Amino acid sequence: TGPDRKLDVLDASYPQMRLSQADNTVYTDFQTTSSGHLYINPSGGNVGIGTTSPITKLHANVSNMFNTSITDLLTLDKYTNNTPGAGIGSSLLFRAQDNNSQIENISRISGLLTTTTNGSEASALTFYTGVGNSSTGNIDLIERIRITGAGNVGIGTSAPNATLEVNGSVYFLGGNGDV
């Protein structure tokens, strides 16, 4: 049969499409089975991975009725051509438009290595929120919470030395337990 779309890649088993640079050193492959592993919804532009009904801009679905444990759905890698030092990592950056139609960085979650020595690496998970800077008109992201590889949680400190260390005021509401 003939193509039924402007570009139709037809194969008996696994349809494939490759976009490549002339010397074939840089390319992007699209390969799927008949059920559709990668789907771009033409109305709205939502992208589905493992689903043909994406309900958000990026919707990943892993269906495996035999696996009842936690499944990694997103992996963020950070590579460098230099020798990495403490602080290298990956982040999720959240942005939104302000009332002046400017896109602002509003918060961030970062995973980072605090020690990069092979075999004795240490890591941390950090949470940032933003505060408006009237002199620049932008939002400055400031680290608010850090969870160290040792399990210590710091609020208002990036180097907690106890299970919970708070740099600032604490307010407890209700409860009858010890603090």
Side-chain angles (χ1 to χ4, degrees), residues 94-156:
F94 300 87
R95 297 168 44 123
Q97 181 178 332
D98 67 12
N99 67 351
N100 198 30
S101 298
Q102 294 179 346
I103 297 294
E104 299 284 356
N105 299 335
I106 57 174
S107 58
R108 173 185 289 139
I109 301 172
S110 299
L112 59 120
L113 285 175
T114 56
T115 303
T116 59
T117 304
N118 188 33
S120 60
E121 296 91 340
S123 65
L125 182 64
T126 58
F127 298 84
Y128 293 75
T129 59
V131 174
N133 183 329
S134 60
S135 64
T136 65
N138 296 320
I139 293 178
D140 295 332
L141 293 181
I142 299 169
E143 183 180 325
R144 305 295 184 177
I145 300 173
R146 178 178 289 235
I147 305 172
T148 68
N152 293 345
V153 177
I155 300 175

Side-chain angles (χ1 to χ4, degrees), residues 4 7 15 22 25 29 33 53 64 66-67 82 90 110 115 151-152 154 156 178:
D4 61 356
L7 174 62
T25 59
D29 277 339
T33 63
S53 317
N64 184 340
F66 301 110
N67 183 353
N82 300 314
S90 299
S110 299
T115 303
N152 293 345
D178 294 330

Side-chain angles (χ1 to χ4, degrees), residues 22-85:
D23 64 1
N24 230 8
T25 59
V26 179
Y27 57 87
T28 301
D29 277 339
F30 297 94
Q31 181 173 343
T32 186
T33 63
S34 60
S35 61
H37 291 291
L38 177 63
Y39 177 79
I40 301 174
N41 187 341
S43 50
N46 292 351
V47 175
I49 301 172
T51 179
T52 56
S53 317
I55 60 173
T56 57
K57 288 297 177 190
L58 177 60
H59 181 164
N61 180 26
V62 175
S63 297
N64 184 340
M65 63 187 198
F66 301 110
N67 183 353
T68 58
S69 63
I70 295 172
T71 300
D72 293 332
L73 292 179
L74 176 66
T75 300
L76 304 174
D77 289 333
K78 169 64 173 146
Y79 293 97
T80 179
N81 291 332
N82 300 314
T83 302

